Amino acid sequence: ELVWRRICPELIDGTMAMDAPSSLQLIAPRPLLIANGEVDMRCPKEGVELALSAASRAWAAAAPEMQPTLYFEPRGGHAVSDEMWRRVDQFFERHLKPGKGSNPSQPKARADL
């Protein structure tokens, strides 16, 4: 708590208005996967849905065929589950395959990092 009070005191006291609806829309039209715990106390489901709903308008305008993907881990908290990792790996496989604009001289990223 002491670290967060130093870095971002408004976050701890609950007075900070987060800008997820504004910042998420800046990702459009690129692919986006949000994997979140259904009962995450730091990123509540309702807030994630609200932010994504607001940001989805940007995808509708820029790339209607590519809407963001949202996954809530049932009963999941603020942790990454095996199912979340599986979905992230699938997302990367689909959107970051070698040959899809990648530089073959760059080292390949490890999926298990």
Side-chain angles (χ1 to χ4, degrees):
E1 183 178 334
L2 292 174
V3 172
W4 284 112
R5 284 194 184 283
R6 173 75 54 123
I7 295 171
C8 190
E10 296 87 5
L11 185 62
I12 293 294
D13 297 330
T15 59
M16 184 174 189
M18 303 310 263
D19 72 340
S22 298
S23 58
L24 282 181
Q25 68 182 336
L26 299 175
I27 298 170
R30 290 171 289 286
L32 172 66
L33 166 67
I34 298 173
N36 204 83
E38 185 178 51
V39 293
D40 186 335
M41 66 293 223
R42 293 188 184 104
C43 302
K45 182 178 180 181
E46 298 78 20
V48 173
E49 290 173 331
L50 180 66
L52 187 57
S53 175
S56 290
R57 294 184 205 115
W59 272 272
E65 73 286 352
M66 185 184 303
Q67 289 297 305
T69 303
L70 177 60
Y71 170 71
F72 285 108
E73 176 71 21
R75 298 173 306 284
H78 193 72
V80 180
S81 69
D82 288 342
E83 177 61 17
M84 289 168 138
W85 278 122
R86 188 185 72 73
R87 289 174 182 256
V88 167
D89 287 343
Q90 284 180 334
F91 180 84
F92 286 166
E93 178 68 23
R94 180 173 179 204
H95 296 289
L96 298 177
K97 284 185 178 178
K100 288 184 105 179
S102 66
N103 182 345
S105 66
Q106 293 293 320
K108 292 182 180 178
R110 290 184 39 189
D112 60 342
L113 292 179

